[in-house]
Amino acid sequence: MIIGRSGVGESAAAAARPARDHDAGAIAMLWSARSVAVVGASDKAGALGRLPVEHLLRYGYAGEVYPVRPDGAPVAGLPSYQSVQACPPRVELAMIMVGADRVLAAVDDCVAAGVPLAIICSSGFAETGPEGSTRQAEVTARARAGGMRLVGPNCIGSVGVERGLVASFSPLFTGAATALVPGSIGFVSQSGALGYGAVSLAFERGLGLGWVVNTGNEADVTALEVMLQIAQIPDCMGVLGYVERLDDVRTLRRLASAGKPIALLKAGRSSAGQRAAASHTGALATEDRVVDAALRQLGIVRADDVEELLDLGDAFGSTRRPRGRRVAVVTTSGGSGILAADAIDAHGLDLAALSDATRTTLDTIIPAYGATANPVDVTATVMSDPALFDRALDAVIDDDAVDAVIACFCVITATDVARVVDGLGRAANRSGKPVLVARTGADHLAPDAADALRAAGLPTYPTPARAVRALAGLHQVAGVEPRAVAPAVVSAGRPDGGPDDSSEPALKAALAVAGLPVPAGRLASSAADTGRAVDEVGGSAVLKAVVPGLVHKTEAGGVVLGVTTATAGATYERLAALGGGVLVEEMITGGIEALVGIAPSPLGPVLTVGLGGVLTEVLDDVALRLLPTWADDPWLAGAMIDETRLGRLLAAARGTEPYDRPALEAMITTLVIAVRQWPPGFELDLNPVAVLPLGRGVRVLDAAYVPPGER
Amino acid sequence: MIIGRSGVGESAAAAARPARDHDAGAIAMLWSARSVAVVGASDKAGALGRLPVEHLLRYGYAGEVYPVRPDGAPVAGLPSYQSVQACPPRVELAMIMVGADRVLAAVDDCVAAGVPLAIICSSGFAETGPEGSTRQAEVTARARAGGMRLVGPNCIGSVGVERGLVASFSPLFTGAATALVPGSIGFVSQSGALGYGAVSLAFERGLGLGWVVNTGNEADVTALEVMLQIAQIPDCMGVLGYVERLDDVRTLRRLASAGKPIALLKAGRSSAGQRAAASHTGALATEDRVVDAALRQLGIVRADDVEELLDLGDAFGSTRRPRGRRVAVVTTSGGSGILAADAIDAHGLDLAALSDATRTTLDTIIPAYGATANPVDVTATVMSDPALFDRALDAVIDDDAVDAVIACFCVITATDVARVVDGLGRAANRSGKPVLVARTGADHLAPDAADALRAAGLPTYPTPARAVRALAGLHQVAGVEPRAVAPAVVSAGRPDGGPDDSSEPALKAALAVAGLPVPAGRLASSAADTGRAVDEVGGSAVLKAVVPGLVHKTEAGGVVLGVTTATAGATYERLAALGGGVLVEEMITGGIEALVGIAPSPLGPVLTVGLGGVLTEVLDDVALRLLPTWADDPWLAGAMIDETRLGRLLAAARGTEPYDRPALEAMITTLVIAVRQWPPGFELDLNPVAVLPLGRGVRVLDAAYVPPGER
């Protein structure tokens, strides 16, 4: 099983990048700089080089703005400077907006002036082809040599919202009706146009952002790095990211450990999308199911769409978290209640089973045409009576079986707003349980509702399905708190760790040494010795040709089952004629075939468990985990088995006995511990692993190993 | 395999309902009535009985409005009448808004006045429990006896938008800013609150509706019936429906045959949702995957959410349809292009491979930092030059490999709008290919854009994923045109059709008569006869105990494999001791095990094909089709096989030969033809069906049959 394209434990790019904790301050200049130089500033109306200057002035940035242009003429009424070095010290952030051919000189100028961070907005770099890539590498090397961090090139800039630090030429900030909406959520996007489009939608829905950054080509600073810096700001309540590459497992693990809810829209799920991403920013592909597994494992919510990303941002803005997956639905619309129940099921949450006491209480409040079972249809009559509505809400939210509430309304009119918001807000506050609202009705029917709901900490969505999806994300980040970062690699490994060679006997010997159960057996030295070997393993054996480079042994006639002492000699001769040794192993029958593998990926080694044997390719039903797992969140063999149909195959079915699942779990655990001593970057495929009836253990029937660097 | 809860070919409710083509005119009164009586009208501000009168006046209904109240006092300035019979003849539509206990009298009044259709808004019927159900049945019977159709009870009413016929008390129509947005899409909802919430969202986004109906408890008229009537209106361009029950296969098939695009949000996907639906409207459950398969087969788009339903409505509003699944993406945002490519893959569409000629043309237009491969990043520079933008669009849309275009933009500003709309609208019109737009940016940046895009016939969505999802729906309805309705039942069947009894020998005999391949074999009459029978089938046989009521033969020790003439006698004695006969069959080995079954569902007989044997329950991997299939859209055994992993299992894999897929396809076809003569409502399970290596055919190894009415 080959996962991803990289043959090393982490991407070469990530490994080559030095540790940069000391540079954190540089990245923070994106929102905390006290002075900004705009290199390539222009006074011409509408010119890109004028827009950042205008934006900084328009949105109230209180720091210094230094337009830089060769002729020193004023820009937007501000005096300009002929170089960054000529600006009053110290320039804390530079925007470079000159043509690609003049960027190198601008970078030199910034370095000479001691600028800690420059945003290169200019295009004409890696996105244009090999020549541009060379230019980008040159610029990056020059900045690194000078100790300056770079954002971009080919980006639209960044915004420190609280301070009006709009270091961006996005047309969003030119819009007559545009107003910044400050808040505690960070938004980082590798893509510029899409990123600022999403930011405009966030502001439009009232989702306040504190930090907005576009990283473009990511010659130096990456979106993940910026997200990590933002997550470490105490006021930050969550970070949303759009990325096209995901191969920096060190930063990803640090980001997941920062204790803030994180949502990531990783584009390139499909191979078509990955090809598009590769041509867009040269991002290396990471197999999508590895991305899925890694993010889920790290507690990062994966969004599929810009709208979902923003929906999660709305949810992160409230501090209440569900303690479990049991959801109560309160509604005045039976239809909305059913749709919410469907969505709860689809997202792996549970419709809470309300207690008898709760049902009894609700029976005294809710009229016959409502419903006191979950989904609870309180009816419009109850909603219109604050005392009754509060009693119904209290009964539901105080039920110990309820971890969160989805409240669904349709046409809310202006007269409903205060009742709905007061009732829900009070119940949420008092109980500490999250309440998310679906409001399936036009805004104009109650224009104040959106603001009032937001102010009360009630994330609101247009449909039950979207509210439930956001709650599912909230459930995924419910346990997030700062913790130690798990190491990004299994171990340094010993140079001599792992199997000596990839032949089946050597590999099985290494597995046996590691404590893994392999079939009894040995190499036979002659036809006569084969008879003895067959006898040693119980009189019925499998004989296998051991020929270097012969991968598909079975198809080549290199495997013979059910060999007895009588047929041993002749079989030996036939297999030996293939040009190698002959392995004699005990014959194992009657098990369920599993697959256990470890393969490198751009995010590090990935453990795979699933259906093995002939079903491997047909069903492709596997569970994945990044290695190593968190110290405080151990990887569970059982969970992986249950994620696949293996769980059902191993259980006792009608007329069959159960298989030895505990032995399989133990074997997987043993393997994961053993390979810590193996050199990183190897690939190991145990398939099939026969899981025998309960009490009889497992056996690794076949195995393949590819040493590091040989893929 | 048990599908659904009903034991008959169609639901009892649907079967009991008379054919009603002659009532079509009655349902049409919901939008074409020239006079409306409001029974239970009130003059009190805010009273429910006053609202329809106010709404009819406010929205310009030009017909007669007759408030009906016992005291004959004026309502909203209109004279009222003491009964419907007292109104000037002829009342074409009555709204009944009195208390539940007075509804029967109101119905009698309407019948006496010759009203063709009444909407009972009152609640207090089946939704409240058994007593209400009795009341509902009584009211319905009275209306039917009098020849009057009923909408409701427990509903919010309907709207004929074009004529301002707002026969509804929804608060939507009381909203100060509410305006009707007329259009050519119909919207029918079983749920009132959710339905009018959705309508408010449709109007808010500018999606014009022509006909809006809420059917509530559906004592008589169902949402499907109303959708069918709307679909038959020439001006109608598509119908959207929200339903909680789906068991009227006759109307569903007629709706699908009406030649208009249909989208259906069927709530109750999950068992939790189905339980909620059952308690909400007493809807019988139809297993969700039967619903999925049936709608796909009938060419009806299934929406999962209100938002998706409205998105489809936007798409139906343009007449251009994709001729295939190949999509070109044109964008100014690389990120949007990747997300569109991902969505195209997720929805089973294909990213079009542009021709070399197209690429060459685009190379002359698009700068190096754009992309000429699909997704085509034309860049903002090209978009800002109308001549270049048009040339690029023409090159893409005229490519024969392109069936549809998704155009993705982010921050569109007011100055972009005309260029984008003109360019895209012209290209779409000229080519006849659909162009759907993703505009991922705030509305206020170009407030006129939404209307301009809509006016140009360019359905527009906030994200690439939503635009692609709508296009996938459009692809599904692309072939929809009026056609003959397929019959809803397989056939009347002969009372004596089908197997004589359910024993394995009788069943296999019946299958053999029908032309299905069963193993050679016969019942043995004695130990000695068993030896002869084994000899007849080739010397190696399977012996099976034939004991009435013994379902799990294998677990009971009632099946013995590999019986030879030597062991035949003893095996016979052992099996005969179980108390029944002994069947001797040829021993079949080495095949792939498939499952072929037919089971009744609320939507009629459902054909199931998938993995058989031990994998049936573990993998649950089956394809479903309603029987019968369309005459002009034959059900394809091959398509069903390929929908499951059976397709891959039957193909030649590494080191194995292919299996006899043609024989399986022929067997399925033979079965479907044969069972037309069987009585409706039976259940037949052929599992396993051994599919032998190519050229050796298939054999039905085991079979179970449940006659109609015995489930």
Side-chain angles (χ1 to χ4, degrees):
Chain A
M1 178 156 304
I2 306 297
I3 293 175
R5 292 182 353 200
S6 170
V8 294
E10 299 182 70
S11 79
R17 208 173 284 144
R20 283 186 193 141
D21 279 8
H22 64 286
D23 293 336
I27 291 176
M29 288 302 150
L30 292 170
W31 44 86
S32 62
R34 285 164 298 183
S35 55
V36 181
V38 179
V39 184
S42 162
D43 200 41
K44 196 177 143 202
L48 290 188
R50 183 184 161 103
L51 292 176
V53 179
E54 282 184 351
H55 295 161
L56 287 162
L57 297 175
R58 169 175 167 181
Y59 293 100
Y61 175 57
E64 301 298 327
V65 179
Y66 305 129
V68 174
R69 54 186 287 177
D71 63 2
V75 172
L78 293 180
S80 78
Y81 301 84
Q82 291 184 296
S83 69
V84 180
Q85 294 169 78
C87 296
R90 177 177 173 246
V91 173
E92 294 193 328
L93 176 65
M95 291 185 73
I96 298 179
M97 307 195 62
V98 297
D101 55 335
R102 290 182 291 137
V103 167
L104 195 59
V107 164
D108 286 343
D109 184 18
C110 289
V111 165
V115 176
L117 176 74
I119 303 171
I120 304 181
C121 297
S122 322
S123 54
F125 291 90
E127 81 280 7
T128 60
E131 198 181 323
S133 292
T134 305
R135 188 183 291 132
Q136 181 169 315
E138 201 175 6
V139 165
T140 310
R142 201 73 71 94
R144 283 199 173 138
M148 182 173 74
R149 299 300 306 269
L150 288 182
V151 170
N154 188 27
C155 73
I156 300 183
S158 63
V159 186
V161 180
E162 191 67 50
R163 301 177 61 230
L165 202 176
V166 183
S168 169
F169 64 92
S170 167
L172 167 60
F173 303 107
T174 314
T178 299
L180 304 184
V181 182
S184 51
I185 303 295
F187 188 97
V188 183
S189 173
Q190 196 173 340
S191 168
L194 185 68
Y196 279 101
V199 168
S200 77
L201 291 174
F203 288 168
E204 186 177 55
R205 64 160 76 182
L207 169 57
L209 302 176
W211 312 268
V212 173
V213 180
N214 166 221
T215 52
N217 286 11
E218 302 197 340
D220 176 27
V221 171
T222 65
L224 285 184
E225 276 183 281
V226 178
M227 291 177 75
L228 174 59
Q229 291 305 321
I230 294 173
Q232 289 169 343
I233 298 171
D235 285 349
C236 166
M237 295 182 73
V239 188
L240 313 177
Y242 168 89
V243 298
E244 292 167 12
R245 66 189 297 166
L246 197 64
D247 54 6
D248 177 3
V249 71
R250 284 177 203 271
T251 306
L252 188 66
R253 283 179 181 266
R254 291 184 64 197
L255 177 60
S257 307
K260 299 290 170 64
I262 308 291
L264 213 49
L265 174 51
K266 162 69 175 69
R269 260 202 189 280
S270 61
S271 55
Q274 283 177 4
R275 280 194 302 275
S279 78
H280 185 217
T281 51
L284 270 180
T286 302
E287 195 186 348
D288 195 67
R289 60 183 178 179
V290 172
V291 173
D292 256 354
L295 294 183
R296 196 170 52 241
Q297 185 178 355
L298 295 175
I300 293 174
V301 186
R302 183 169 190 182
D304 264 343
D305 190 13
V306 171
E307 208 158 52
E308 183 178 7
L309 194 65
L310 300 182
D311 284 357
L312 289 163
D314 278 326
F316 293 167
S318 157
T319 52
R320 292 183 283 267
R321 296 284 182 272
R323 277 163 292 184
R325 55 180 75 243
R326 301 164 308 167
V327 186
V329 179
V330 173
T331 182
T332 53
S333 152
S336 296
I338 302 168
L339 293 178
D342 283 346
I344 284 166
D345 181 76
H347 288 282
L349 301 173
D350 298 326
L351 198 65
L354 300 179
S355 72
D356 290 346
T358 302
R359 296 285 301 272
T360 305
T361 305
L362 291 175
D363 276 334
T364 67
I365 303 170
I366 297 176
Y369 59 92
T372 60
N374 189 13
V376 179
D377 185 346
V378 294
T379 76
T381 307
V382 168
M383 194 186 73
S384 67
D385 179 329
L388 284 181
F389 187 49
D390 284 357
R391 278 180 55 209
L393 282 176
D394 284 348
V396 171
I397 209 164
D398 288 342
D399 192 313
D400 286 339
V402 172
D403 297 313
V405 170
I406 295 284
C408 301
F409 306 98
C410 293
V411 177
I412 299 185
T413 59
T415 53
D416 300 325
V417 173
R419 278 194 299 272
V420 168
V421 174
D422 290 353
L424 295 176
R426 194 192 46 77
N429 266 329
R430 199 178 46 67
S431 66
K433 297 178 183 178
V435 176
L436 283 73
V437 177
R439 176 197 177 197
T440 309
D443 202 52
H444 68 76
L445 292 166
D448 300 334
D451 287 347
L453 287 158
R454 188 175 293 278
L458 301 165
T460 303
Y461 306 91
T463 68
R466 279 176 61 182
V468 171
R469 184 177 66 179
L471 176 60
L474 217 47
H475 176 257
Q476 205 185 326
V477 301
V480 164
E481 51 185 42
R483 53 182 171 179
V485 181
V489 293
V490 175
S491 89
R494 294 173 299 141
D496 59 346
D500 294 333
D501 66 62
S502 302
S503 76
E504 188 171 349
L507 185 49
K508 284 193 168 158
L511 295 174
V513 166
L516 299 182
V518 296
R522 62 173 174 85
L523 283 169
S525 58
S526 67
D529 185 41
T530 303
R532 287 190 294 275
V534 169
D535 214 37
E536 287 161 22
V537 300
S540 177
V542 180
L543 265 62
K544 297 180 178 176
V546 180
V547 183
L550 181 66
V551 177
H552 299 310
K553 283 191 293 282
T554 304
E555 291 81 340
V559 177
V560 183
L561 304 179
V563 177
T564 62
T565 46
T567 57
T571 308
Y572 173 87
E573 299 293 0
R574 185 144 55 84
L575 294 183
L578 292 174
V582 175
L583 180 63
V584 179
E585 283 188 343
E586 64 174 324
M587 178 90 181
I588 307 282
T589 56
I592 294 285
E593 294 188 329
L595 157 100
V596 179
I598 295 175
S601 86
L603 291 174
V606 175
L607 171 66
T608 302
V609 171
L611 298 184
V614 294
L615 295 180
T616 303
E617 286 176 33
V618 173
L619 299 181
D620 196 20
D621 186 13
V622 295
L624 307 178
R625 292 291 187 283
L626 284 194
L627 293 181
T629 56
W630 299 96
D632 60 343
D633 176 24
W635 143 91
L636 292 169
M640 295 183 78
I641 291 169
D642 285 330
E643 268 176 45
T644 72
R645 295 188 177 87
L646 200 51
R648 277 193 276 169
L649 279 173
L650 295 178
R654 202 178 64 199
T656 67
E657 47 181 338
Y659 292 89
D660 205 338
R661 175 183 169 127
L664 178 62
E665 294 186 13
M667 184 220 122
I668 297 168
T669 306
T670 303
L671 174 69
V672 168
I673 293 168
V675 298
R676 290 185 188 161
Q677 300 305 319
W678 294 19
F682 69 88
E683 180 178 342
L684 177 69
D685 218 6
L686 309 182
N687 183 17
V689 175
V691 187
L692 300 175
L694 192 59
R696 293 178 49 203
V698 300
R699 299 290 188 286
V700 179
L701 298 190
D702 203 357
Y705 177 77
V706 184
E710 292 191 14
R711 292 175 63 181
Chain B
M1 176 156 306
I2 307 298
I3 294 175
R5 294 185 348 203
S6 169
V8 294
E10 300 182 70
S11 79
R17 208 173 286 145
R20 282 186 194 143
D21 279 6
H22 63 285
D23 294 336
I27 291 176
M29 289 302 152
L30 292 169
W31 44 87
S32 62
R34 286 164 296 183
S35 56
V36 181
V38 179
V39 183
S42 163
D43 199 43
K44 197 176 142 201
L48 290 188
R50 183 185 162 101
L51 293 177
V53 179
E54 282 184 351
H55 295 162
L56 287 162
L57 297 175
R58 170 174 167 180
Y59 293 100
Y61 174 58
E64 301 298 327
V65 180
Y66 305 128
V68 174
R69 53 185 289 178
D71 63 2
V75 172
L78 294 180
S80 79
Y81 301 85
Q82 290 184 297
S83 70
V84 180
Q85 295 170 76
C87 296
R90 177 179 172 244
V91 174
E92 294 193 328
L93 176 65
M95 291 186 71
I96 298 179
M97 308 195 61
V98 298
D101 55 334
R102 287 183 292 136
V103 167
L104 195 60
V107 164
D108 287 342
D109 184 20
C110 290
V111 166
V115 176
L117 177 74
I119 302 172
I120 304 181
C121 297
S122 323
S123 55
F125 290 90
E127 80 282 5
T128 61
E131 199 181 323
S133 293
T134 305
R135 189 183 292 132
Q136 181 169 315
E138 202 175 5
V139 165
T140 310
R142 202 74 70 93
R144 284 198 172 140
M148 181 173 75
R149 299 300 308 267
L150 288 182
V151 170
N154 189 28
C155 73
I156 300 183
S158 63
V159 186
V161 181
E162 190 68 49
R163 301 178 59 232
L165 202 176
V166 183
S168 169
F169 64 91
S170 167
L172 167 59
F173 302 106
T174 314
T178 299
L180 303 185
V181 181
S184 52
I185 302 295
F187 187 98
V188 182
S189 173
Q190 195 172 344
S191 169
L194 185 68
Y196 279 100
V199 168
S200 76
L201 291 174
F203 288 168
E204 187 176 54
R205 63 160 77 181
L207 170 57
L209 302 176
W211 311 269
V212 174
V213 180
N214 166 220
T215 52
N217 286 10
E218 302 197 340
D220 176 27
V221 170
T222 65
L224 285 184
E225 276 183 282
V226 178
M227 292 177 75
L228 173 59
Q229 291 306 321
I230 294 174
Q232 290 169 342
I233 298 171
D235 286 348
C236 167
M237 294 183 71
V239 188
L240 313 177
Y242 167 89
V243 298
E244 292 168 12
R245 66 188 298 166
L246 197 65
D247 54 8
D248 176 3
V249 70
R250 284 177 202 271
T251 307
L252 188 66
R253 284 180 181 266
R254 292 184 64 197
L255 178 60
S257 307
K260 298 292 170 64
I262 308 290
L264 213 47
L265 173 52
K266 161 69 176 69
R269 257 201 191 281
S270 62
S271 56
Q274 283 177 4
R275 278 193 304 275
S279 79
H280 185 216
T281 50
L284 270 182
T286 302
E287 196 186 347
D288 195 67
R289 59 183 178 178
V290 172
V291 173
D292 256 354
L295 294 184
R296 196 169 54 242
Q297 184 180 355
L298 296 176
I300 293 174
V301 186
R302 183 169 187 180
D304 262 344
D305 191 12
V306 171
E307 210 158 49
E308 183 178 5
L309 194 64
L310 300 182
D311 284 357
L312 289 163
D314 278 326
F316 293 167
S318 157
T319 52
R320 293 183 281 267
R321 297 283 182 270
R323 275 163 294 183
R325 53 180 76 243
R326 302 164 307 167
V327 186
V329 179
V330 173
T331 182
T332 53
S333 152
S336 295
I338 303 168
L339 293 178
D342 283 347
I344 284 166
D345 181 76
H347 288 283
L349 301 173
D350 297 326
L351 199 63
L354 300 179
S355 72
D356 289 345
T358 303
R359 297 284 301 273
T360 304
T361 306
L362 292 175
D363 277 333
T364 67
I365 303 169
I366 297 175
Y369 59 92
T372 61
N374 188 13
V376 179
D377 185 346
V378 294
T379 76
T381 306
V382 168
M383 193 186 73
S384 67
D385 179 328
L388 284 181
F389 187 49
D390 284 356
R391 277 181 54 210
L393 281 177
D394 284 348
V396 171
I397 209 163
D398 288 340
D399 192 313
D400 286 339
V402 172
D403 297 313
V405 170
I406 295 284
C408 302
F409 306 98
C410 293
V411 176
I412 299 186
T413 59
T415 53
D416 299 324
V417 174
R419 276 194 300 271
V420 168
V421 174
D422 291 352
L424 295 176
R426 193 193 46 78
N429 266 330
R430 198 179 47 68
S431 66
K433 297 178 182 177
V435 176
L436 282 73
V437 177
R439 176 197 177 199
T440 310
D443 201 54
H444 68 75
L445 293 166
D448 300 334
D451 287 346
L453 287 159
R454 187 175 292 278
L458 301 166
T460 303
Y461 305 92
T463 68
R466 278 175 62 183
V468 171
R469 184 176 65 180
L471 176 60
L474 217 47
H475 176 257
Q476 206 186 325
V477 301
V480 164
E481 53 186 39
R483 53 182 171 179
V485 181
V489 294
V490 175
S491 87
R494 294 173 297 140
D496 59 346
D500 294 332
D501 66 61
S502 302
S503 76
E504 189 170 348
L507 185 49
K508 283 193 168 157
L511 294 175
V513 166
L516 300 182
V518 298
R522 62 172 174 86
L523 283 170
S525 59
S526 67
D529 184 43
T530 302
R532 287 190 294 274
V534 169
D535 214 37
E536 287 161 22
V537 300
S540 178
V542 180
L543 266 63
K544 297 179 178 177
V546 180
V547 183
L550 181 66
V551 178
H552 299 310
K553 284 189 294 280
T554 305
E555 291 81 337
V559 178
V560 183
L561 304 178
V563 178
T564 60
T565 46
T567 57
T571 309
Y572 173 86
E573 300 292 359
R574 188 145 53 84
L575 294 181
L578 292 172
V582 175
L583 178 64
V584 179
E585 282 187 343
E586 65 175 323
M587 178 90 183
I588 307 284
T589 55
I592 294 286
E593 294 188 327
L595 158 104
V596 179
I598 296 175
S601 86
L603 291 175
V606 175
L607 170 68
T608 302
V609 171
L611 298 183
V614 295
L615 295 179
T616 303
E617 286 176 34
V618 173
L619 299 181
D620 197 20
D621 186 13
V622 294
L624 307 178
R625 291 291 187 283
L626 284 194
L627 292 181
T629 56
W630 299 97
D632 60 342
D633 175 24
W635 143 92
L636 292 169
M640 295 183 77
I641 291 170
D642 285 330
E643 265 176 48
T644 73
R645 294 188 176 87
L646 199 51
R648 277 194 276 168
L649 279 173
L650 295 178
R654 203 178 62 201
T656 67
E657 47 181 337
Y659 293 89
D660 204 338
R661 176 184 168 126
L664 179 62
E665 294 186 14
M667 185 218 121
I668 297 169
T669 306
T670 303
L671 174 69
V672 168
I673 293 168
V675 298
R676 290 185 189 161
Q677 300 305 320
W678 295 17
F682 70 87
E683 180 177 340
L684 177 69
D685 218 7
L686 309 182
N687 183 16
V689 175
V691 186
L692 300 175
L694 192 59
R696 292 180 48 204
V698 301
R699 298 290 187 290
V700 179
L701 298 192
D702 203 358
Y705 176 77
V706 183
E710 291 192 14
R711 292 175 64 180

